[in-house]
Amino acid sequence: MNRSTASLLALALLLAMAISTPAQIDLDQKIESNIHDWVGTYKFLHEHPELSTQEKETSAVVASQLKKMGYDVTDHFGQYNSGLAAYGIVAVLKNGTGPTVYIRTDMDALPITEKTGLPYASKVREKRPNGEVGVMHACGHDLHMTVFLGTAKMMIESKDQWQGTLVLIGQPAEETIGGASAMLKAGLYKRFPKPDYVLALHDSSALPTGIVAWHSGPMLAGADSVDITIRGYGGHGAAPNLTKDPILIASELVVALQTIVSREMNPLVPTVVTVGSFHAGTKHNIIPDDAHLQLTVRTMTPSQRETVLAAIKRITNGVAETAGVPSDRMPIIEIATDNVPATINDPALTARVAVGLEKSLGKENVWPGDPIMASEDFSLFALEDPKPPISMFWLGAVDPTKWKEAKDKGIHLPSLHSSEFAPLPEPAIRTGVKAMTGVATELLKK
Ligand SMILES: [Zn+2]
Ligand SMILES: [Zn+2]
């Protein structure tokens, strides 16, 4: 090292110290002394995943750690529409007068057989009628829980830096949608302090560790499932003129549905209409009576959703009519009731989240985030009275070396819900705890 490099380094160090407040330096030290334990918690949770609605042991781990820290914990909170009890957790910490901030983690895993080859890979198997399937934290909810517990600890240890009420919620059954509504219906906002803000983070398979990203407005799409039964009338495959072939009508419909996105919707507002399932017929020479299609529809606003669903009905009936389907055999169109609305990050709250992130991580580590067309029931926390503002941000989870290599060489990286998705735990947890603690402290500052 020559003299000018040394003095440059000294200057950089001085600058870093000048930017970091004593509270931030203190938080960094606390995080370093806990990081080893947190990586242990992460690996344990990763190795012991539980499917949606079955998070018994997972929620017990989370609840017991929160109790040990000194939170007032209610567990087994929530009830599903089926009447089944949910493994929801609500942990409250009152620290003087001030706003009430909710922080939410999800807890469930997915029916995927893990192929990461990691020493702490899940070996959990679930018996199904048609064989066995693996269970895996392939969406990173294990990372979310670890960051959540780390934040819980840091907020307790920095109680003198903030005032107000902190409510930490462990939500079950996110992947199957149902956990958030199970907790809200059980009176989450009535039995516990009313929220002023609700926060969450989700790990990202598109961002490197060390980076977080926020996005104001719609961040995740609303999702609807639509079932369509095309009814014709069947007969011999050699005499199609005596039938009304539902396979041909349904095929035309699959193509016609593509015009909703390409020709009816505003190209500046993302919309998805996917036909994910097409079932009809039993044999080569039989024209069946009906054909079944299953669609997923992704939209960003309620009015856009109405437009797309109305277009699906209009086009479906129109295609059947054009084919000469008699009026008593018109298609049956069913829109599932377990739809989930878009996750819309409140702009005013998100602006404050961005400030908290930049203060805790430095501007260069806080990127503009992209919305995606996946869905979440986090959206529901904004719709229950008192309809609090919500905001979710992305937490980078990819090994930065692999991320850069993938970017430079165009290599595919495993995405969320992939059997090969493997976050780099230590830096992701460190950044996540720093970020969420920073944001909560910003909202609860004295
Ligand atoms: Zn997921
Ligand atoms: Zn997820």
Side-chain angles (χ1 to χ4, degrees), residues 348-403:
L349 172 59
T350 306
R352 296 189 65 192
V353 166
V355 170
L357 293 174
E358 288 184 359
K359 276 189 189 170
S360 54
L361 298 171
K363 268 195 166 75
E364 67 282 11
N365 297 313
V366 182
W367 294 1
D370 289 323
I372 61 170
M373 298 307 278
S375 303
E376 259 270 359
D377 62 0
F378 179 61
S379 52
L380 298 175
F381 289 105
L383 302 179
E384 184 90 356
D385 278 332
K387 299 193 169 62
I390 64 167
S391 194
M392 172 186 266
F393 61 88
W394 295 118
L395 171 66
V398 184
D399 180 336
T401 317
K402 286 186 187 157
W403 182 83

Side-chain angles (χ1 to χ4, degrees), residues 106 139-141 144 174-175 202-203 376 416-417:
D106 33 23
C139 203
H141 298 183
H144 302 173
E174 185 283 318
E175 294 293 355
H202 203 293
D203 64 339
E376 259 270 359
L416 298 176
H417 290 208

